[in-house]
Amino acid sequence: MSEVHAETVPFVRDTMLPSAAPPARQSGAVLWLRENLFSGPLNILLTLAGLAALWALVSHLWPWFGHAVWNASSIGECRQIIAERYGQGAGGACFAIIRERWNQFIFGFYPAEHYWRPTAVFGLMMFAVAPILFSESRRLRWTVLAVSAVASFAACVALGAPGRALLAVGAGFVALAALIEYAPRRALAFSVLYPFLAVWMLWGGSFWGPVAVLAGFALALAIWRLGARFGAGLLGLALGVAAAVWWWAALGPRVAADLQGLMPLALAPVESRSFGGFLLALTIGVSGIVMSLPLGIILALARQSNLPVVRTLAVMFIEFIRGVPLITLLFVASILLNYFLPPGTNFDIILRVIIMVTLFAAAYMAEVIRGGLAALPRGQYEGADSLGLTYWQAQRLIILPQALKISIPGIVGTFIGVFKDTTLVTFVGLFDPLKQMADTIRATFAWKGAYWEPYIFTGTIFFILCFAMSRYAMYLERRLKTDHR
Amino acid sequence: MTEPANAARPAFGTETAVQIEKLNKWYGTFHVLRDIDLTVRRGERIVIAGPSGSGKSTLIRCINQLEEHQSGRITVDGIELTNDIKNIDKIRSEVGMVFQHFNLFPHLTVLENCTLAPIWVRKIPRREAEETAMHFLREVRIPDQAHKYPGQLSGGQQQRVAIARSLCMRPKIMLFDEPTSALDPEMIKEVLDTMIELAEGGMTMICVTHEMGFAQAVAHRVIFMDQGQIVEENTPQEFFNNPKSDRTKLFLSQILGH
């Protein structure tokens, strides 16, 4: 052995090898088929069995879709048309229910002459979120904005919005587009103001009501900032919250009423009870999603806090909320809460449901984000600390950007869950699109017995929205990938 | 400072940069630091050596309060460390630290890593902070990597970025916690060269390291720790050629004897 080595071991390379291109991959459909589907007797058998199962499925489902009737005034008429066309006993979908009642699946009992309001709110929502969600890619941002502006404007026209409203909505879209293009940081102000605008447009009433509520927030913020400047941030925060509550309870409504007297600006009020369908699902879902993220972050940080009281409270809150079903919380919101509130208080049912959905989602969100925080190496905290960053600076600049990035799949999973869970409001008598709204439509004699079609329609819309969220999450993960692992 | 080996080194001042008195620390019931007394003068360069688990990292991490101590006094730059978080943040902004695993922020570019603390802690305008950052990135010889992310750099480059990031805060004292222990042999030299240049500039440095060559080249004083105590403290000349304690002799024979 050693003799052999003695001759072969000494080796000196005199020329370094240049790097070569990798071998070309063989491709072609036939090759792919042979390798993946027909590579052996067992695989050939499995492929054939799979094809047979697929055929059985399609051959049974296709006639039902293929025989679909879109034009009819009742399910009976649908069945008659199908029987005439395809013979007695042939099955077929009756999508005429969607064609005739689409407006209720989308808007519930929202007054038809005001359908343009939620439509415009949806279009404006894109202008509020696009500068945040698509801050990096100009092309993507403009694609999203153009599509949603054109679509929602066209829908407003089709839904018979009055001329003045169309003018206002159109001018708003153009102005916001210009703002986003030329002053993107200012455009974020619209993102903050948007919720108040949306509330006004959806529920109507005096314009000055939401303005007064907004003023309360501004008051709290101003007092807090003032306190922080004099080194009393916590005191300022407490004073600010107290001032805001006082404003909302006492002075704000009176100021709003006076302003309404001076400068009347109002939309026809719409009752919460008339919200339904996807309008309701989106109102509750989007509010829950938007508010649960910051609340979840605060809860996650509180749970990791060194302060025992803060930590204990966070743990108690999270464990309690996660320990009860969402429906329980919704029942609390709809029934129990009234016992605790002073008689005669008109605390909006949708607002109550939004609060409960937000708290529920925030508890899950907190745990998802805590996972992200735990995944960060200790060194990141130490690196931030060693530079003299304060706790909040370190969280905001170093820890959270990374922890949230790690948690994106979990966060979006929670978002999707929240959105789908909005259908549970059916149990407190709100007209969710999946059950209550469909049941209501089926309660009329004409559509009695149409089960599959509404479910398929609602399911499809839910799928599109949830799938979009999921794709966005993937895009975001790709965009934020900087670690080059 | 009469030894010829130290003659070439710039003399350090008489001002006290760090003063540690009767420092004690426990992890649970484990006594990691026992009655540590140490005074570091401004401009002085100290190398702390010792076997693993001897408490040397814990000691320098106490100086910027990444670790809390239970008894004793630490005074940094005339300010005594207390539980007051503002006081601690103030001291941390004056004391730079370089870690074994760099602890760069992977979601920020090299330049952003270097400008973050000056902008947010020192409230320096972005442009000025970027100029300072580029200056120090040139000092550590990686200005062309400024717009890359840390994950795209080699270990040695990352550690030099970490040094530049600390220097951008214009610290009065630099702490090094085994800065070369996670590096490949070929990269150790580039980091040590950077540290030597820094030393020649007169920076007050406290280094925990196993690089005895570095200690001999730049240290004013070598401190040997074992079992949470300072066992021996001497000039590098005396420390390496004429160690007094048996524990030091054993340690030196183990790390130099191969």
Side-chain angles (χ1 to χ4, degrees), chain B residues 154-250:
Chain B
S154 73
Q157 289 174 321
Q158 290 194 45
Q159 192 60 294
R160 284 185 283 151
V161 171
I163 294 172
R165 179 177 74 176
S166 289
L167 293 177
C168 283
M169 287 293 279
R170 308 238 181 226
K172 295 180 177 149
I173 300 156
M174 285 286 285
L175 308 175
F176 291 84
D177 188 2
E178 306 203 21
T180 55
S181 301
L183 296 176
D184 290 344
E186 282 187 326
M187 293 168 183
I188 291 177
K189 189 176 176 305
E190 63 187 52
V191 171
L192 287 180
D193 286 348
T194 308
M195 289 170 65
I196 290 170
E197 278 171 37
L198 191 61
E200 284 164 354
M203 176 64 77
T204 311
M205 293 165 73
I206 305 176
C207 313
V208 171
T209 182
H210 296 298
E211 297 296 328
M212 290 304 132
F214 172 78
Q216 278 178 314
V218 306
H220 291 114
R221 207 168 6 143
V222 178
I223 287 169
F224 178 71
M225 286 182 69
D226 189 30
Q227 293 174 22
Q229 306 154 66
I230 294 178
V231 174
E232 191 163 344
E233 201 177 327
N234 216 329
T235 59
Q237 180 88 354
E238 283 291 298
F239 181 83
F240 290 109
N241 299 337
N242 195 8
K244 301 283 185 296
S245 113
D246 292 340
R247 186 66 190 86
T248 315
K249 286 174 192 163
L250 179 65

Side-chain angles (χ1 to χ4, degrees), chain A residues 123-456:
Chain A
L124 287 168
M125 182 175 83
M126 291 301 169
F127 281 84
V129 297
I132 302 165
L133 296 187
F134 303 106
S135 61
E136 305 268 301
S137 164
R138 189 165 177 272
R139 207 174 60 114
L140 206 53
R141 184 166 65 239
W142 283 114
T143 314
V144 170
L145 287 184
V147 168
S148 49
V150 169
S152 70
F153 190 79
C156 282
V157 174
L159 292 168
R164 270 170 53 206
L166 278 180
L167 200 66
V169 170
F173 284 160
V174 172
L176 285 171
L179 190 66
I180 288 166
E181 177 67 18
Y182 296 110
R185 291 191 70 88
R186 294 263 171 77
L188 294 180
F190 175 72
S191 308
V192 175
L193 299 180
Y194 170 78
F196 300 93
L197 180 67
V199 165
W200 177 59
M201 288 181 71
L202 288 177
W203 276 273
S206 163
F207 176 69
W208 304 106
V211 171
V213 174
L214 181 63
F217 280 109
L219 186 70
L221 189 69
I223 293 176
W224 177 40
R225 292 280 278 274
L226 200 70
R229 182 168 297 172
F230 293 110
L234 216 58
L235 181 71
L237 189 65
L239 278 177
V241 170
V245 169
W246 166 78
W247 166 268
W248 287 325
L251 203 58
R254 284 191 0 230
V255 172
D258 288 348
L259 278 168
Q260 176 64 16
L262 284 172
M263 285 177 281
L265 183 56
L267 287 169
V270 177
E271 286 271 313
S272 279
R273 286 282 169 195
S274 47
F275 279 53
F278 280 99
L279 169 59
L280 182 73
L282 280 170
T283 307
I284 297 171
V286 172
S287 314
I289 282 171
V290 169
M291 293 192 292
S292 65
L293 184 60
L295 195 58
I297 291 172
I298 291 170
L299 281 172
L301 292 181
R303 194 169 185 166
Q304 299 233 310
S305 168
N306 291 325
L307 309 170
V309 177
V310 173
R311 192 172 55 232
T312 312
L313 285 176
V315 170
M316 277 167 58
F317 177 86
I318 291 168
E319 295 304 338
F320 172 73
I321 296 275
R322 288 203 311 170
V324 296
L326 177 57
I327 297 177
T328 315
L329 295 176
L330 293 177
F331 279 138
V332 169
S334 82
I335 303 163
L336 220 55
L337 222 53
N338 277 350
Y339 288 110
F340 297 118
L341 292 169
T345 328
N346 184 18
F347 196 23
D348 189 87
I349 179 71
I350 292 184
L351 180 60
R352 281 183 273 169
V353 166
I354 286 175
I355 290 173
M356 285 305 177
V357 168
T358 303
L359 296 183
F360 186 77
Y364 281 88
M365 194 64 72
E367 290 299 279
V368 166
I369 294 167
R370 192 165 68 101
L373 291 172
L376 278 196
R378 254 193 81 73
Q380 290 294 309
Y381 293 87
E382 292 180 350
D385 283 347
S386 74
L387 289 167
L389 294 169
T390 65
Y391 173 81
W392 288 109
Q393 283 173 339
Q395 294 300 335
R396 194 181 130 200
L397 301 166
I398 309 299
I399 306 303
L400 284 176
Q402 296 185 64
L404 292 179
K405 184 166 79 178
I406 299 170
S407 326
I408 287 173
I411 291 174
V412 174
T414 310
F415 282 172
I416 290 175
V418 171
F419 184 49
K420 290 188 300 186
D421 281 354
T422 58
T423 51
L424 291 176
V425 299
T426 184
F427 289 105
V428 294
L430 291 174
F431 293 96
D432 78 290
L434 191 69
K435 174 145 172 63
Q436 196 86 327
M437 203 62 243
D439 278 353
T440 309
I441 293 165
R442 275 193 292 270
T444 58
F445 183 72
W447 302 112
K448 200 167 173 351
Y451 282 96
W452 283 101
E453 296 83 353
Y455 284 138
I456 288 173

Side-chain angles (χ1 to χ4, degrees), chain A residues 231 378-380 382-391 393 396-398 401-402 405 482-484, chain B residues 61 64 66 89 92-93 95 97 99 103-107 116-117 120-121 123 149 151-152 165 169:
Chain A
R378 254 193 81 73
Q380 290 294 309
E382 292 180 350
D385 283 347
S386 74
L387 289 167
L389 294 169
T390 65
Y391 173 81
Q393 283 173 339
R396 194 181 130 200
L397 301 166
I398 309 299
Q402 296 185 64
K405 184 166 79 178
T482 58
D483 53 2
H484 305 276
Chain B
R61 287 157 61 86
N64 65 355
L66 289 182
D89 281 339
R92 282 171 178 168
S93 70
V95 178
M97 183 147 191
F99 298 88
N103 297 357
L104 293 174
F105 307 131
H107 63 302
L116 182 100
W120 289 90
V121 179
K123 315 283 180 204
Y149 287 95
Q152 293 166 288
R165 179 177 74 176
M169 287 293 279

